[in-house]
Amino acid sequence: MPITSGHETETPPKLGGGGPGKISRRRGYGGDDGDHGRPDDFSSSRSRLRRYRVGVALFSVCVTMLFLGIGSAYVVTQGMGPWNHEAGSRVSIWRPLLLPYRQLWLNSLLLIASSVTLEFARRGMLKKQEFSTMGIRPPRFKTEFPWLAITVVFGLGFLAGQFLVWNTLRHQGVYLGGAASGSFFYTLTGLHAVHLAGGLAVLLYALCGDWTGRKFESQQIAVDATGWYWHFMALLWFGIFALLHFARG
Amino acid sequence: MEERSTSSTAVSTPGFLRRCVFSTDHKVVGLQYFFLSFAAVLIGTVLSLLMRIHLVWPTVSLPFFGTIKPENYLAFLTMHGTLMVFFVLSTVPQSGFGNYFLPLQLGVSEMAFPKLNAAGFWTTLLSFLILIAAFFVPGGASGAGWTQYPPLSAIANSGPGQALGTDLWLVSMGLFCVASVMGAINFITTTLKMRTPGMDLMRMPLTCWTWFVTAILSLLAFSVLLAAVILLLLDRNAGTAFFVPAGLIVSGKAVAQTGGSPLLWQHLFWFFGHPEVYIAILPGMGVTSHVLSVFSRKPVFGYRAMVWAIVAIGFLGFLVWGHHMFVSGMNPYAAFAFSALTTAIAVPSAIKTFNWIGTIWDGRIRFTTPLLFSVGFVSLFITGGLTGPLLAQPALDIYLHDTYFVVAHFHLIMAMAGLFAIFAATHFWFPKMFGRMMNERLGALHFWITFLGSYAIFMPMHLLGTAGHPRRYSELTGVQYVAAMAPLQKFVTVAAIITMSGQIIFLVNFFWSMFKGPTAPANPWECTTLEWTLPSPTPAGGFGEHVPMVNRGAYEYSAPGAETDYLMQDAPGS
Ligand code: HEM
Ligand SMILES: [Cu+2]
């Protein structure tokens, strides 16, 4: 649903829930964190949104590197045990885990569901932001279908589910300080949970913004940026899951 | 993410705390990084002096301290390396000058994420304080070297300084990684999204190019170091065994943990570690290109080639980490690949060196202090760089590894070259930062002492290394072939004492000029880049409401047909 704005003369920005690429490039917007003292300035809120999207993309690269580092350590450790001098070869001392697949799939479903609901929330707020820049006062998103609140519930559900997974493994006698397979399992899933909790915190911030009097624009940018981050977190989760499954030894 | 009224219009002047301490202004943040590194470099220098004294006069008793015991020496070594590599060379050129001048050179008054930027500084400060705190805990600071090789670093009771000191080192490094990543996201977004109209990528000053590429390296490399640090912390505190091999015996006692590999740490660490040396040196290369062009009154020779060399160095830097591990028992074929790739980095490095020489060649050179230090940079980079391809041959490195030869190599090419770039940048931008000029005479004197001193300290180390003197030993009493090198070691120590005393000239010049130096005009060096369109010192609001329009590249010196011998980037016409 393309909307033309009066402010931009070059290419009209294509809005309506597109990805970062859909916003027209407008070079050289010198500015600060918010705007040029003109809070309703359409292009300034655009460029701010664009900056946050770039920031989230870069942060995702950084998180990817973190997990690639640990993931490659996992693959290497799984593949080679200590050297046995008598035998003249490596002996594998890797102890494969019995993954609680049913629980893990349930959690995965929760995470996908939260990604979908967050996408609805993100698109809805983006539209509303367009209207607001056209001078139409944005209705508060609270009055709408509460996609954001549902996302938070699903996200919390995923974290709780992961906690249950760890509990199951503990009952099997798999500990962080035990065999390497367990150490890697807790480290990988634990760090993923920490990163997801960070995203959850931002969503809560946006959700509470209604009561704490945050500007709608800030809430919208928070939800948009977290949206992309959240999708990335879901992808990352499947990467971890695949690693744990295919390289389980 | 909350709204801020623009700082450009000074409606009400905020208080001192908001203005100078808890500020989100990129200039204030840049200066904060700058002074943090000032503290770090002072501590780091004192530590190196203590090490040099101990190597030559091991029994001398220091005031307030007593004699230096071997574990003290190792702690000094570790802290010296960590402070210098992280808090000086990775901090001033990038976070200090970069924060201050990247936005200004791009023609904007703010970074993309000012709050994140300030948070990055405070995280760095916290990391610094935690590192220093390690001196005062039981057992003292970590003694495992700036590379923290396991398994000893993974076992809490493996020696003095290996207890709480090492945990603090790891926490400090973890925080430093987080802070670096924050800064990197900010730099990249600013470069990509905030440039003023007309500032095409290929019109950016080379300083901006190096800050940009360095930020990309930081983003990719520090994340991997963070991963390694987390795993090592878990090994030490949660009973995991990522880096602890089977059957390890420490101090006569079998270690319970088993099943990991210490080599894993080396891979993770050096995957970060080699890009890290470019994080330390790339911004210095940018400053050198910039300063050489300004004071030769000539455009940078081969601007495009310079840009591609920066990018190529950044890219290749991620493929060569194995050259630090030739003695780890790696597959000879892998060693060959790492060796070939390492040697390949000599190509873009040589392109840069030739272009620096090409830039000053036949120029109308103005012999200012910044120029002297930049020429010094090129000299040190060549001298240190020539030993790189030697160390990159596995057969040679197996002999030279962990000797003073390596110490000579990386101090000349990284430590000294990096410092010279920092000195050049400080003298060059001092007028813009503090509104006053530094003293040229003292500057030149300081340059010559430091330049000759650097060579006097580090050239003999090549000989020590080829004669087989190992590094990282506090004392090698009773080893005959080492005892024969004592006179050379003494020479190095004396040279170090003289050179370090020479730094007092810089301190005096710096602080005296800050308060008493002659007032600086807006553009004392007659430069073309946008920061010099502003008054000196830079006003709090930067460009304010003014949006500079860029019409040409950054190095229009002695342009044919122009009235002045330089054309500002935003001067009308093209
Ligand atoms: C021509 C380019 C270069 C080549 C071929 C090269 C090669 C090498 C090699 C092979 C080593 C390993 C030596 C050993 O462990 O025995 C080494 C060590 C080192 N290099 Fe370079 N290098 C180059 C440029 C640089 C630059 C630009 C820097 C810094 C800015 C640097 C900093 C270091 C440092 C700090 C070490 C010491 C690592 C340790 O603690 O063992 N090098 N270099
Ligand atoms: Cu290297």
Side-chain angles (χ1 to χ4, degrees):
Chain A
M1 168 185 128
I3 290 180
T4 21
S5 93
H7 284 64
E8 296 222 6
T9 41
E10 315 144 17
T11 20
K14 291 195 196 71
L15 299 175
K22 282 210 180 172
I23 297 173
S24 79
R25 278 159 50 90
R26 185 162 174 280
R27 200 190 316 108
Y29 206 84
D32 52 28
D33 198 11
D35 35 56
H36 277 260
R38 300 183 293 273
D40 305 322
D41 191 321
F42 173 77
S43 56
S44 117
S45 105
R46 285 283 104 189
S47 75
R48 195 167 156 222
L49 177 62
R50 229 183 275 125
R51 285 206 295 279
Y52 273 94
R53 284 180 179 177
V54 173
V56 162
L58 293 172
F59 184 62
S60 307
V61 171
C62 146
V63 176
T64 308
M65 290 305 289
L66 179 83
F67 280 91
L68 276 181
I70 301 178
S72 56
Y74 177 93
V75 173
V76 170
T77 310
Q78 197 271 113
M80 65 157 93
W83 187 259
N84 183 324
H85 289 281
E86 279 116 62
S89 65
R90 295 191 176 279
V91 277
S92 178
I93 55 163
W94 184 261
R95 273 193 260 155
L97 295 181
L98 276 175
L99 294 180
Y101 281 104
R102 194 189 292 241
Q103 277 173 305
L104 287 171
W105 276 116
L106 195 69
N107 292 349
S108 307
L109 283 180
L110 269 175
L111 196 56
I112 295 179
S114 71
S115 234
V116 172
T117 54
L118 185 51
E119 185 60 17
F120 285 137
R122 192 186 73 78
R123 291 187 182 203
M125 289 181 79
L126 194 66
K127 288 233 171 74
K128 219 166 290 172
Q129 177 62 19
E130 286 164 25
F131 286 123
S132 106
T133 51
M134 288 158 66
I136 306 165
R137 227 179 89 74
R140 285 298 182 190
F141 63 82
K142 206 166 53 179
T143 55
E144 282 203 354
F145 198 75
W147 289 119
L148 203 51
I150 294 175
T151 309
V152 170
V153 171
F154 280 165
L156 284 173
F158 174 81
L159 290 183
Q162 292 293 79
F163 188 77
L164 293 179
V165 168
W166 296 329
N167 241 348
T168 310
L169 283 179
R170 237 194 331 268
H171 282 304
Q172 293 178 7
V174 177
Y175 300 105
L176 176 64
S181 49
S183 307
F184 274 109
F185 184 90
Y186 288 111
T187 309
L188 285 167
T189 54
L191 279 174
H192 176 264
V194 168
H195 280 85
L196 199 80
L200 210 51
V202 182
L203 290 186
L204 280 172
Y205 158 91
L207 203 55
C208 299
D210 267 5
W211 298 292
T212 56
R214 287 272 166 227
K215 278 183 54 186
F216 179 76
E217 186 202 306
S218 289
Q219 292 172 306
Q220 188 259 323
I221 290 181
V223 170
D224 192 281
T226 317
W228 296 109
Y229 177 65
W230 199 271
H231 300 331
F232 162 70
M233 274 293 135
L235 269 179
L236 181 66
W237 165 247
F238 283 101
I240 294 172
F241 197 0
L243 181 71
L244 290 170
H245 171 72
F246 289 111
R248 65 188 184 282
Chain B
M1 355 179 147
E2 99 197 20
E3 286 65 41
R4 306 174 55 247
S5 64
T6 38
S7 47
S8 49
T9 42
V11 195
S12 62
T13 324
F16 173 79
L17 277 185
R18 298 241 49 174
R19 240 178 329 122
C20 303
V21 184
F22 302 108
S23 170
T24 52
D25 181 354
H26 69 97
K27 300 184 288 297
V28 177
V29 175
L31 288 178
Q32 285 172 328
Y33 274 116
F34 183 86
F35 285 108
L36 171 65
S37 295
F38 224 110
V41 82
L42 289 180
I43 302 173
T45 308
V46 169
L47 291 175
S48 65
L49 191 61
L50 294 179
M51 285 191 286
R52 283 310 319 173
I53 290 176
H54 175 77
L55 283 170
V56 180
W57 301 288
T59 52
V60 76
S61 179
L62 300 164
F64 309 114
F65 192 86
T67 49
I68 295 172
K69 296 191 280 297
E71 58 265 33
N72 300 138
Y73 181 88
L74 290 179
F76 292 174
L77 177 89
T78 307
M79 296 295 264
H80 163 79
T82 310
L83 283 170
M84 291 299 200
V85 170
F86 292 97
F87 291 93
V88 181
L89 289 183
S90 319
T91 300
V92 202
Q94 179 78 2
S95 311
F97 292 118
N99 260 315
Y100 200 112
F101 290 106
L102 175 74
L104 296 185
Q105 290 197 330
L106 297 180
V108 292
S109 310
E110 275 284 20
M111 282 284 200
F113 307 111
K115 293 230 174 64
L116 188 71
N117 206 18
F121 168 74
W122 291 104
T123 313
T124 312
L125 179 67
L126 183 65
S127 152
F128 175 74
L129 294 177
I130 291 176
L131 185 72
I132 296 298
F135 273 123
F136 306 102
V137 299
S142 176
W146 82 282
T147 50
Q148 287 289 339
Y149 276 9
L152 289 189
S153 63
I155 308 298
N157 54 4
S158 59
Q162 299 301 82
L164 191 52
T166 298
D167 284 317
L168 290 178
W169 189 94
L170 288 168
V171 172
S172 163
M173 282 306 108
L175 287 173
F176 193 91
C177 294
V178 173
S180 301
V181 165
M182 293 186 200
I185 291 176
N186 210 350
F187 272 56
I188 299 173
T189 314
T190 306
T191 312
L192 290 178
K193 289 285 158 193
M194 307 267 294
R195 300 188 312 276
T196 202
M199 181 63 83
D200 298 338
L201 282 176
M202 279 300 174
R203 278 180 176 174
M204 291 199 306
L206 286 173
T207 38
C208 294
W209 265 107
T210 51
W211 286 321
F212 177 54
V213 173
T214 303
I216 297 175
L217 297 190
S218 296
L219 189 77
L220 298 173
F222 275 108
S223 319
V224 175
L225 179 63
L226 183 60
V229 162
I230 291 173
L231 296 186
L232 192 51
L233 267 174
L234 288 174
D235 270 7
R236 295 174 56 82
N237 298 302
T240 59
F242 297 113
F243 304 125
V244 186
L248 181 68
I249 296 173
V250 171
S251 315
K253 263 186 266 163
V255 174
Q257 293 139 278
T258 180
S261 159
L263 277 183
L264 211 53
W265 168 270
Q266 294 195 19
H267 281 290
L268 290 175
F269 183 86
W270 286 118
F271 184 83
F272 147 80
H274 193 82
E276 161 63 23
V277 306
Y278 293 110
I279 290 170
I281 207 69
L282 274 177
M285 292 178 165
V287 167
T288 304
S289 311
H290 198 74
V291 167
L292 288 180
S293 166
V294 170
F295 294 105
S296 321
R297 314 311 291 168
K298 273 180 64 193
V300 166
F301 186 88
Y303 174 90
R304 258 165 205 282
M306 285 303 233
V307 170
W308 286 113
I310 294 166
V311 175
I313 288 178
F315 175 72
L316 284 173
F318 277 105
L319 306 177
V320 300
W321 78 93
H323 66 212
H324 297 273
M325 299 171 61
F326 286 147
V327 298
S328 69
M330 66 164 57
N331 184 324
Y333 293 108
F336 173 75
F338 280 124
S339 166
L341 284 162
T342 304
T343 318
I345 296 195
V347 175
S349 306
I351 290 177
K352 296 202 71 83
T353 310
F354 284 125
N355 286 1
W356 287 323
I357 296 173
T359 303
I360 49 176
W361 191 268
D362 214 13
R364 282 175 293 124
I365 297 180
R366 299 180 180 170
F367 281 97
T368 56
T369 313
L371 177 97
L372 289 178
F373 274 108
S374 292
V375 173
F377 175 98
V378 178
S379 162
L380 290 162
F381 188 77
I382 294 174
T383 316
L386 284 176
T387 50
L390 296 182
L391 288 168
Q393 308 316 312
L396 287 176
D397 185 63
I398 286 173
Y399 177 75
L400 292 169
H401 182 77
D402 259 346
T403 67
Y404 268 86
F405 193 87
V406 176
V407 180
H409 162 70
F410 73 76
H411 274 93
L412 285 171
I413 198 167
M414 178 171 76
M416 288 303 118
L419 267 185
F420 271 55
I422 293 171
F423 283 133
T426 307
H427 282 269
F428 179 66
W429 277 312
F430 192 87
K432 201 47 60 192
M433 294 193 293
F434 302 109
R436 291 173 187 277
M437 307 294 293
M438 282 179 84
N439 185 298
E440 282 292 313
R441 230 168 245 260
L442 287 181
L445 182 66
H446 170 234
F447 165 76
W448 283 110
I449 293 179
T450 314
F451 184 67
L452 298 176
S454 306
Y455 274 108
I457 297 170
F458 293 111
M459 284 310 266
M461 288 191 188
H462 292 108
L463 300 177
L464 293 176
T466 30
H469 198 314
R471 68 191 270 222
R472 287 180 174 165
Y473 281 88
S474 85
E475 260 179 82
L476 285 168
T477 31
V479 184
Q480 224 148 42
Y481 80 97
V482 170
M485 299 180 216
L488 206 51
Q489 286 281 35
K490 204 164 279 180
F491 174 83
V492 170
T493 296
V494 172
I497 293 174
I498 295 174
T499 314
M500 284 173 199
S501 317
Q503 303 313 303
I504 294 172
I505 302 173
F506 174 76
L507 291 179
V508 170
N509 192 356
F510 185 88
F511 287 107
W512 185 84
S513 308
M514 218 167 133
F515 300 105
K516 292 273 156 60
T519 344
N523 191 358
W525 312 120
E526 304 186 306
C527 293
T528 55
T529 43
L530 292 177
E531 79 269 33
W532 303 101
T533 60
L534 294 168
S536 305
T538 322
F543 294 95
E545 291 292 302
H546 171 64
V547 179
M549 293 289 174
V550 170
N551 295 316
R552 58 177 62 74
Y555 298 105
E556 298 280 313
Y557 294 100
S558 310
E563 280 166 30
T564 47
D565 83 330
Y566 66 106
L567 284 171
M568 302 294 286
Q569 281 195 280
D570 65 345
S574 60

